[in-house]
């Protein structure tokens, strides 16, 4: 049966889609996510938008630069020039040039206060100074902490478990994990 988060063909885009949906639909989780993984300062959550595989604002093309345009996996942004770029990887590696392209593209959309977050399975590699890096297991763990209070967190965590099994089965997840052991659920048993 198809899951609500199965909107993209690439497994890493499916994970990012599940995270973006969660952050878009549950403002409490968006606030927690930014507090846990975001930059030290950010706008109030009510002023933020979450998009994926698209650009905020208006892209100013200066001619001949289409090949240099970077399209981030997701962006959290406000209407006053603040943006957090999210770039995720599962089986491929991050490249600093790709992150710089994303940043340049978002700047050309009219955003001046730009930072970035990479989410990977293993070591993220090098990134520009104002980018932070986390692992998919960090996102899973964070979601697992909120699964009792948020149906969106529960849906994402459940999806990560299914997606990880599917990725391993098709050979997409060659090393590392998306989830981590989170104990044994005894409910409804005693």
């Amino acid at each position: 049966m198809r899951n609500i988060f199965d909107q993209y063909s690439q497994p890493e885009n499916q994970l990012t889609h599940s995270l973006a949906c969660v952050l878009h639909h549950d403002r409490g989780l968006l606030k927690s996510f930014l507090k846990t993984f975001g930059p030290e300062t950010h706008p109030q959550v009510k002023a933020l938008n979450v998009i994926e595989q698209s650009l905020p604002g208006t892209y100013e093309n200066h001619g001949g630069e289409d090949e240099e345009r970077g399209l981030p996996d997701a962006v959290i942004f406000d209407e006053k020039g603040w943006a957090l770029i999210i770039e995720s990887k599962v089986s491929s590696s991050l490249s600093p040039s790709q992150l710089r392209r994303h940043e340049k593209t978002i700047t050309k959309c009219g955003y001046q206060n730009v930072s970035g977050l990479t989410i990977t399975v293993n070591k993220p590699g090098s990134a520009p100074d104002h980018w932070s890096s986390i692992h998919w297991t960090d996102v899973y763990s964070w979601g697992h902490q909120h699964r009792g209070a948020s149906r969106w967190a529960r849906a994402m965590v459940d999806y990560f478990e299914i997606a990880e099994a599917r990725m391993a089965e098709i050979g997409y997840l060659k090393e590392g994990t998306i989830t981590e052991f989170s104990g044994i659920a005894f409910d409804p048993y005693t």
Side-chain angles (χ1 to χ4, degrees):
M1 185 164 110
R2 189 175 161 153
N3 189 289
I4 61 168
F5 297 132
D6 286 341
Q7 301 300 314
Y8 294 94
S9 59
Q10 286 283 39
E12 65 194 31
N13 292 340
Q14 292 170 346
L15 291 175
T16 305
H17 177 64
S18 68
L19 175 61
C21 286
V22 164
L23 299 178
H24 172 76
H25 289 290
D26 190 322
R27 292 294 156 156
L29 288 177
L30 176 57
K31 184 176 183 177
S32 172
F33 183 84
L34 289 172
K35 183 178 181 183
T36 306
F37 304 118
E40 283 187 33
T41 59
H42 54 81
Q44 291 187 353
V45 172
K46 66 182 178 181
L48 297 175
N49 299 294
V50 180
I51 59 172
E52 55 187 312
Q53 301 292 325
S54 58
L55 299 173
T58 305
Y59 180 75
E60 296 178 23
N61 188 353
H62 297 290
E65 296 176 2
D66 282 342
E67 67 278 353
E68 293 183 19
R69 185 172 134 187
L71 188 63
D73 291 328
V75 183
I76 302 170
F77 66 98
D78 71 1
E79 299 300 328
K80 296 182 179 180
W82 181 91
L84 173 65
I85 302 167
I86 298 175
E87 182 62 25
S88 68
K89 298 291 183 194
V90 171
S91 67
S92 57
S93 59
L94 281 168
S95 101
S97 63
Q98 179 187 27
L99 301 178
R100 283 191 290 278
R101 276 194 316 274
H102 290 336
E103 193 172 336
K104 186 177 180 182
T105 299
I106 297 301
T107 301
K108 287 184 178 185
C109 290
Y111 292 82
Q112 300 306 317
N113 188 0
V114 179
S115 54
L117 175 68
T118 64
I119 308 173
T120 59
V121 171
N122 291 318
K123 294 180 183 178
S126 61
D129 289 338
H130 44 284
W131 284 70
S132 15
S133 300
I134 61 174
H135 296 104
W136 279 112
T137 53
D138 298 324
V139 177
Y140 174 82
S141 217
W142 166 81
H144 201 274
Q145 292 172 0
H146 296 283
R147 73 179 290 154
S150 169
R151 67 184 178 98
W152 284 101
R154 189 169 40 259
M156 182 187 74
V157 166
D158 291 347
Y159 183 71
F160 274 32
E161 293 167 0
I162 294 164
E164 180 179 60
R166 202 182 312 154
M167 283 185 240
E169 184 178 305
I170 64 171
Y172 191 82
L173 184 62
K174 294 179 173 70
E175 54 185 58
T177 61
I178 304 300
T179 66
E180 57 187 11
F181 180 71
S182 53
I184 299 171
F186 288 105
D187 291 335
Y189 309 105
T190 58

